[in-house]
Amino acid sequence: MNLWLALQDPNTQWVLAGCILLGISSGVLGCFAFLRGRSLMGDALAHAALPGVCLVYLLTGSKSIGLFLIGAGAAGLLATYCITSISRHSRIKEDTALALTLSVFFGIGIVLLTYIQHSASGNQSGLDKFLFGQAASLVSSDVTTMMIVSGALILLTILLFKEFTLLSFDAGFGRGLGFPMGFLDALLMLMLLMTVVIGLQAVGVVLVAAMLIAPAVTARYWTDKLSVMAVLSGLFGAFSGALGTLLSTQLENLPTGPTIVLAATCFFVISLLVSPRRGVLVRLIRFLRLRSKVLHEDVMQALYERMEEPHHLQAGSLTFGIEEHELAEKSGKSTAAVRKALRGLRRQGYVRAVDEASGHRRWTFTPEGLKKAHGLVLNQRLWDVYHMNEDRYASQHIDVNREELASQLSDETLAQMLEQLHAYNLTPKLNQHVPAASQLHPTNRGGLSV
Amino acid sequence: MNSLWIMLTGALVAASCGFLGCFLILRRMAMLGDAISHAILPGIVIAFLFSGSRETLPMLIGAAVVGLLTVFFVQLLHQSGVKSDAAIGVTFTALFSVGVVLVSLYAQQVDLDLDCVLYGEIAYVPWDTWEWGGMDMGPRAVWAVGGVFLISLLVVGLFFKQFKLCSFDPAMAAAVGIPVLLFHYLLMTLVSLTTVASFESVGAILVVAMLVVPGATAYLLTDRLHVMLFISMGIGVLCSVFGYMLASWLDSSIAGAMTAVSGVLFLLAFLFSPRHGVVAKAIAQRRVRVQNRQTKPASH
């Protein structure tokens, strides 16, 4: 069927509207469930709904959605109560309690369902549609119910947004401010339950949890603000609903519920990979960059420190340079890594090769590189001095996570440290202007230009 | 005879699941068992499409591969900063959807009924027999589940010390040189194998019940791991027998009835366990209160 034709079909329009609404409300509420660490609660609630639905059918014999919602809601509440009381009153942990309640309720539901089917009271067909959902069977009255419920849920979320934010991040603080946190928690649970129940018909017991989890996790990748996250999550939910519905109209036999879930998963995987701040790719790039930066700095330090050694210095190392394998030995890296770093450094104009023609390639600094390496080595040694005498400098409020130390120090302390460096004979001896150690005096700030 | 076979299959399923479930519960990975049992669906369907038959071996392989993939994905997502419960939720629903879509798309080729996948058809087990050398060797499911049960008994028996230490103190286990991650994946492989061997009989979702409920019940009754393992297997057998009786009385799904019975057994343990039960705790509290009341006036 053509996509445009499919959209003209009023049936498809109802289904589409239903799935989009479901996506929005489950996306928004899923955010709070996600932040409260309750993502799998939706799964448990959905499974627990089955015996509720079956009992309602057994008792009333009708298949009205409204009654089913009430039955599913009651069973969900009971399941929530079971989960909390099992994990509170025994040594069984919450995850086991969750899995236990979920499966036992579902088992009872299956018993009731098969009992209904086998007792053959006629009009029982359609009950098992709750297992996998059948979005295609949504009709206007269902969508109206969904619209009312999800509208109310979204409105309530907007009204209580501040309270729910407090609940998600710092319930103890909220209690201190006098908010009824227990009541709000229960209310949030109830709202989750309503979302699950309206989702049952569209995507089914097993997959409705995905609608709560996937959009919220996806949105988390794009923002750090809860309000933005809730909006984004609603949008992702709506898009997956729409995409899943439209895709399933295009292919025969493609069930709507799982397709919606797969669409939501696709959004998640894409975000996981390419999100600008927490995405896997970005983090990989950042990691590689950091690694290459550290490698460059290590090689520069190794080169500097090799040159600085007295016998090299006397042999005029600044002019004749150092061989690659010596640098590898000094820095503890492989020769290949050192060579790669040196090539990168040459591109940046920090080092140059000497004697390239003779086969023994040796490396030395350009004036600019020497200045940079001097800064690096000095910074490294200042840190060493700081760590050796931490108690003495404890009053300085040094942020050990920052790279540079000198800029965090007062002139006085810096002078003190340089003097200490000199006493340890650790003052960097090579400098653009003063290439010999003897000329360096601690009071000229070690040649540091800060 | 048929009901005997059904009960035997059920008992084997429940015992082998309950046995492995103990470790899942101790390691707080009950929901991971849930995730695996859902997620193996695509593995089963793909094995089905490739082999074109309901042979047990391809299914076992397919399911084991997908089961391990699930664990791997969950761990990967967890490491990249997703909360572990959300990671489980995203992974298993996605894989389960893939499975449902595959079943629906290849409905003609795949002789798999979705209802059957969900809650199994243990009642048909006696008719699906395994013939070997022209001889009728009994139901195939009994052999499959029994075989997997033997494998997991063997593996856990051989490495009991390691599994025990990994369950209670993974950090310590790593410190004394046990490859914790390897045993983690080994356990998950066993869980996947058991799940797929059982799924024909009890369905993907009720496997979770068998994995979690007997173990949790046993956990309330004892403090010793090997006792817990035996109790959970015993409870599995009880579930099977009483579940079959309940199901034939109500004319309903046997697997569902087994789950319901296991729920009742858990409730009994939850209330009346001699050490960890609610009633025992209440009595102990009361005794302390009475003692306090008696000693207080004396102290004044």
Side-chain angles (χ1 to χ4, degrees):
Chain A
M1 212 187 333
N2 184 302
L3 191 64
W4 184 244
L5 269 178
L7 275 177
Q8 303 280 312
D9 181 19
N11 251 337
T12 316
Q13 287 170 4
W14 283 121
V15 175
L16 193 62
C19 291
I20 290 177
L21 278 173
L22 171 67
I24 296 175
S25 52
S26 62
V28 171
L29 283 167
C31 281
F32 295 106
F34 173 69
L35 291 173
R36 295 277 291 148
R38 291 252 172 89
S39 295
L40 290 172
M41 208 58 153
D43 196 31
L45 292 179
H47 283 75
L50 188 65
V53 170
C54 291
L55 266 184
V56 165
Y57 176 78
L58 266 182
L59 292 179
T60 65
S62 82
K63 286 200 293 184
S64 107
I65 294 297
L67 280 177
F68 280 176
L69 292 189
I70 294 172
L77 278 183
L78 187 62
T80 319
Y81 175 73
C82 285
I83 293 169
T84 42
S85 63
I86 286 175
S87 53
R88 186 174 303 156
H89 295 303
S90 76
R91 58 185 194 149
I92 287 173
K93 312 290 179 302
E94 188 162 1
D95 68 316
T96 308
L98 202 67
L100 194 146
T101 312
L102 174 161
S103 52
V104 169
F105 269 73
F106 193 76
I108 295 171
I110 296 285
V111 169
L112 291 175
L113 186 68
T114 43
Y115 174 69
I116 293 170
Q117 281 170 346
H118 293 179
S119 63
S121 56
N123 175 33
Q124 97 298 19
S125 66
L127 216 52
D128 53 343
K129 292 295 171 255
F130 273 89
L131 286 176
F132 289 108
Q134 201 177 43
S137 69
L138 287 176
V139 291
S140 62
S141 64
D142 300 338
V143 176
T144 320
T145 316
M146 284 171 91
M147 213 178 285
I148 295 169
V149 175
S150 58
L153 288 177
I154 292 169
L155 189 70
L156 206 55
T157 316
I158 294 171
L159 285 178
L160 292 174
F161 191 80
K162 193 179 58 186
E163 283 79 3
F164 283 153
T165 311
L166 204 52
L167 180 68
S168 310
F169 290 111
D170 198 343
F173 179 59
R175 202 168 295 124
L177 289 181
F179 286 102
M181 281 298 148
F183 170 72
L184 284 171
D185 198 26
L187 183 66
L188 188 61
M189 216 55 193
L190 197 66
M191 289 166 73
L192 273 180
L193 184 63
M194 295 319 288
T195 324
V196 167
V197 168
I198 60 168
L200 282 182
Q201 227 200 347
V203 292
V205 164
V206 188
L207 294 175
V208 73
M211 292 307 292
L212 282 173
I213 304 171
V217 186
T218 312
R220 183 69 189 88
Y221 273 95
W222 297 93
T223 176
D224 284 336
K225 270 183 80 81
L226 180 59
S227 51
V228 184
M229 180 179 160
V231 173
L232 275 180
S233 175
L235 283 179
F236 280 127
F239 277 131
S240 358
L243 199 64
T245 315
L246 292 179
L247 270 179
S248 68
T249 60
Q250 295 303 302
L251 261 172
E252 217 178 326
N253 281 335
L254 197 63
T256 315
T259 317
I260 294 176
V261 174
L262 284 182
T265 314
C266 282
F267 283 126
F268 166 69
V269 172
I270 294 171
S271 307
L272 176 74
L273 290 178
V274 303
S275 116
R277 282 189 49 210
R278 314 158 122 248
V280 170
L281 286 181
V282 174
R283 282 205 301 210
L284 188 69
I285 292 171
R286 215 181 292 152
F287 170 73
L288 288 179
R289 257 197 216 141
L290 181 67
R291 201 166 67 169
S292 118
K293 186 183 164 220
V294 169
L295 179 68
H296 283 187
E297 289 187 358
D298 281 358
V299 169
M300 273 176 103
Q301 266 187 37
L303 183 58
Y304 188 97
E305 286 179 347
R306 258 295 136 100
M307 286 180 162
E308 205 185 27
E309 283 165 16
H311 64 280
H312 281 293
L313 199 58
Q314 270 157 20
S317 59
L318 209 50
T319 343
F320 300 115
I322 303 287
E323 279 184 51
E324 272 165 14
H325 69 87
E326 262 189 276
L327 291 180
E329 190 187 319
K330 175 82 186 165
S331 62
K333 307 239 183 306
S334 72
T335 321
V338 168
R339 194 172 296 152
K340 195 177 129 217
L342 285 169
R343 241 178 272 135
L345 287 169
R346 178 157 67 173
R347 257 200 310 278
Q348 291 169 23
Y350 288 139
V351 297
R352 63 190 167 83
V354 191
D355 246 3
E356 211 155 355
S358 71
H360 292 285
R361 190 150 48 161
R362 303 164 76 87
W363 296 85
T364 183
F365 286 115
T366 61
E368 205 183 330
L370 186 61
K371 201 167 133 196
K372 167 116 175 144
H374 180 267
L376 282 174
V377 172
L378 183 61
N379 186 42
Q380 178 63 45
R381 292 185 184 170
L382 284 176
W383 273 120
D384 290 347
V385 169
Y386 169 75
H387 284 302
M388 281 188 279
N389 304 282
E390 218 162 333
D391 52 335
R392 192 166 146 194
Y393 299 111
S395 58
Q396 296 290 322
H397 303 296
I398 303 293
D399 179 3
V400 287
N401 292 316
R402 269 171 59 184
E403 233 172 282
E404 245 186 275
L405 180 62
S407 57
Q408 296 186 53
L409 300 168
S410 65
D411 286 352
E412 202 181 330
T413 329
L414 183 60
Q416 208 177 351
M417 276 195 175
L418 287 171
E419 208 147 348
Q420 242 180 329
L421 264 189
H422 192 63
Y424 291 131
N425 193 20
L426 279 176
T427 313
K429 299 180 184 62
L430 303 169
N431 188 295
Q432 199 183 356
H433 317 289
V434 272
S438 56
Q439 294 167 10
L440 195 70
H441 194 265
T443 49
N444 69 1
R445 305 176 51 98
L448 202 73
S449 51
V450 283
Chain B
M1 192 61 199
N2 280 344
S3 39
L4 200 67
W5 278 126
I6 292 173
M7 274 194 262
L8 179 63
T9 317
L12 278 174
V13 166
S16 57
C17 289
F19 177 69
L20 291 173
C22 289
F23 292 102
L24 288 181
I25 290 169
L26 289 174
R27 305 189 66 178
R28 303 188 181 193
M29 291 186 310
M31 285 316 279
L32 203 55
D34 184 29
I36 289 179
S37 69
H38 283 73
I40 59 168
L41 182 60
I44 291 170
V45 180
I46 291 170
F48 218 89
L49 287 175
F50 269 107
S51 71
S53 69
R54 252 186 139 136
E55 285 295 314
T56 312
L57 196 64
M59 279 206 194
L60 281 178
I61 296 170
V65 169
V66 179
L68 286 182
L69 267 184
T70 314
V71 180
F72 178 71
F73 280 144
V74 169
Q75 213 142 37
L76 200 70
L77 290 182
H78 185 52
Q79 270 166 10
S80 74
V82 184
K83 285 185 187 173
S84 68
D85 63 333
I88 289 176
V90 169
T91 313
F92 89 79
T93 50
L95 285 169
F96 191 75
S97 311
V98 171
V100 175
V101 167
L102 282 178
V103 171
S104 318
L105 285 184
Y106 297 99
Q108 285 85 15
Q109 287 104 305
V110 183
D111 180 26
L112 272 177
D113 185 11
L114 271 183
D115 289 354
C116 170
V117 169
L118 265 189
Y119 47 86
E121 262 318 339
I122 202 170
Y124 300 149
V125 158
W127 286 279
D128 185 12
T129 54
W130 183 46
E131 284 187 21
W132 191 58
M135 249 178 27
D136 189 357
M137 306 286 288
R140 212 156 45 93
V142 171
W143 286 99
V145 181
V148 173
F149 186 29
L150 263 185
I151 293 176
S152 39
L153 275 181
L154 209 65
V155 172
V156 173
L158 276 179
F159 300 108
F160 186 71
K161 216 166 40 181
Q162 283 85 341
F163 273 115
K164 190 175 176 181
L165 198 53
C166 289
S167 309
F168 287 105
D169 197 343
M172 159 91 175
V176 298
I178 296 172
V180 177
L181 202 64
L182 178 75
F183 279 101
H184 177 65
Y185 276 99
L186 192 60
L187 181 65
M188 291 303 147
T189 316
L190 290 178
V191 170
S192 313
L193 287 178
T194 310
T195 310
V196 73
S198 325
F199 110 106
E200 266 186 290
S201 320
V202 295
I205 293 172
L206 297 182
V207 170
V208 188
M210 293 297 113
L211 275 173
V212 176
V213 187
T217 314
Y219 189 46
L220 289 179
L221 294 176
T222 177
D223 286 337
R224 303 185 64 86
L225 180 60
H226 60 267
V227 182
M228 180 175 164
L229 290 175
F230 283 117
I231 293 182
S232 70
M233 288 191 270
I235 288 171
V237 176
L238 284 184
C239 289
S240 165
V241 174
F242 288 113
Y244 183 73
M245 286 156 123
L246 179 69
S248 40
W249 177 54
L250 281 178
D251 184 23
S252 68
S253 152
I254 299 169
M258 279 169 66
T259 315
V261 170
S262 71
V264 172
L265 290 179
F266 174 78
L267 188 68
L268 288 179
F270 180 65
L271 292 177
F272 303 117
S273 153
R275 283 191 58 197
H276 303 284
V278 173
V279 173
K281 272 188 202 162
I283 291 173
Q285 267 173 4
R286 194 196 182 91
R287 195 173 299 144
V288 171
R289 210 176 302 140
V290 170
Q291 268 173 3
N292 278 352
R293 213 176 292 144
Q294 282 165 350
T295 49
K296 248 181 202 159
S299 68
H300 277 292

